[in-house]
């Protein structure tokens, strides 16, 4: 069974449904991918998803959840054995304006097999998304470890969560 967490973000009194907006924006545009140099990010790590200035959002889902035109636009195969993980860093004061971040991580299954997550940065207007794919089996429990380094501050957010697909 595929668990899909719908993240609802309420910023400054306006509710935004994160995933549908993400899909609609990407379906109607010609987004671009860009890589940020991450060698200079070596700040103190934190397990917090939120600081006074920034918020980190993350989710993982099966690639079949993507609309076909969105998957095609970003070169993501729609396959029951392929998952997608997305991480975004936002300015709290900027009404959800994305900030440059260096995102890297890994995913591990219950028997200890690890795979590195190779993130692509996608920019859409003021939004910045970091997306990677991974292989998943049916009913599999996975542990994600993702580090998101904020370029402007050098602070690294360490994310860790478990999810069943």
């Amino acid at each position: 069974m595929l668990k899909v967490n719908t993240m609802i973000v309420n910023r400054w009194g306006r509710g935004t449904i994160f995933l549908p907006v993400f899909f609609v924006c990407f379906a109607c545009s010609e987004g671009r991918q860009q890589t940020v140099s991450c060698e200079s990010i070596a700040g103190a790590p934190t397990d917090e998803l939120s600081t006074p200035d920034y918020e980190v959002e993350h989710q993982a889902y099966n690639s079949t959840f993507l609309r076909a035109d969105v998957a095609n636009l970003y070169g993501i195969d729609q396959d029951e054995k392929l998952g997608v993980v997305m991480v975004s860093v936002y300015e709290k004061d900027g009404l959800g304006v994305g900030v440059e971040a260096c995102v890297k991580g890994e995913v591990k299954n219950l028997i200890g097999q690890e795979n590195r997550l190779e993130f692509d940065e996608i920019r859409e207007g003021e939004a910045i998304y970091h997306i990677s794919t991974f292989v998943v089996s049916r009913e599999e429990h996975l542990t994600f470890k993702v580090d998101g380094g904020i370029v402007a501050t050098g602070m690294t957010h360490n994310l860790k969560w478990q999810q069943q697909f």
Side-chain angles (χ1 to χ4, degrees):
M1 180 172 120
L2 172 66
K3 283 189 175 179
V4 178
N5 296 327
T6 303
M7 184 178 300
I8 299 177
V9 180
N10 189 3
R11 296 190 200 289
W12 300 97
R14 67 181 176 114
T16 306
I17 300 176
F18 188 66
L19 274 177
V21 170
F22 167 73
F23 296 135
V24 169
C25 288
F26 283 152
C28 301
S29 67
E30 294 182 23
R32 57 189 171 104
Q33 295 182 0
Q34 187 175 14
T35 304
V36 175
S37 175
C38 296
E39 289 77 29
S40 63
I41 305 292
T46 179
D47 292 332
E48 298 295 318
L49 295 180
S50 182
T51 67
D53 299 321
Y54 300 99
E55 184 172 336
V56 180
E57 294 179 350
H58 63 86
Q59 39 184 297
Y61 44 87
N62 192 287
S63 66
T64 58
F65 187 69
L66 292 170
R67 288 188 4 207
D69 54 339
V70 174
N72 188 44
L73 180 62
Y74 292 99
I76 299 172
D77 293 330
Q78 289 188 295
D79 188 326
E80 288 184 11
K81 296 180 180 179
L82 187 66
V84 177
V85 62
M86 181 173 61
V87 177
S88 298
V89 181
Y90 296 97
E91 286 182 13
K92 284 187 175 177
D93 293 351
L95 297 175
V97 173
V99 297
E100 288 190 9
C102 298
V103 180
K104 61 182 178 177
E106 61 188 31
V107 60
K108 186 189 306 188
N109 64 15
L110 287 177
I111 62 172
Q113 296 171 318
E114 276 185 29
N115 287 308
R116 180 182 304 257
L117 296 169
E118 300 291 336
F119 286 88
D120 289 321
E121 181 181 275
I122 298 173
R123 293 177 180 242
E124 181 61 42
E126 292 183 347
I128 302 174
Y129 306 98
H130 302 272
I131 297 177
S132 183
T133 58
F134 56 93
V135 177
V136 64
S137 298
R138 183 171 250 221
E139 300 291 325
E140 187 167 36
H141 292 267
L142 298 174
T143 300
F144 294 86
K145 291 182 183 177
V146 176
D147 297 330
I150 300 173
V151 173
T153 65
M155 179 177 274
T156 299
H157 293 264
N158 298 321
L159 312 175
K160 183 177 178 181
W161 75 96
Q162 294 182 346
Q163 188 169 335
Q164 180 181 354
F165 288 83

